Amino acid sequence: AAAAATATAAAASSKGEEISPYEVLGVARTATADEISSAYRTLARKWHPDKSSDPEATERFKVISAAYT
């Protein structure tokens, strides 16, 4: 679910649309700080351009990082 949300967020980002950081990270709005951090770390590891061969990895990683900050 988080990967799908990240893909949607990357597409929305490229179109200039806003998407909730919670949706990007795949967590509920009621998520704790630990849950948010965990979701970020998981997605960052998966989509880091040095770790992923997916051509969209760089853009997805940027969206994930922006959602976490």
Side-chain angles (χ1 to χ4, degrees), residues 8-20:
T8 302
S13 173
S14 66
K15 295 178 185 176
E17 299 172 8
E18 288 294 319
I19 188 162
S20 165

Side-chain angles (χ1 to χ4, degrees), residues 12-65:
S13 173
S14 66
K15 295 178 185 176
E17 299 172 8
E18 288 294 319
I19 188 162
S20 165
Y22 297 100
E23 288 181 55
V24 172
L25 297 175
V27 297
R29 289 192 177 272
T30 57
T32 65
D34 287 341
E35 291 170 328
I36 293 169
S37 293
S38 177
Y40 167 73
R41 284 191 308 274
T42 300
L43 290 171
R45 274 193 300 271
K46 178 177 180 178
W47 291 108
H48 193 282
D50 292 341
K51 299 286 184 184
S52 177
S53 60
D54 190 309
E56 295 181 12
T58 300
E59 183 59 31
R60 288 186 181 189
F61 185 75
K62 288 178 186 177
V63 170
I64 293 163
S65 296

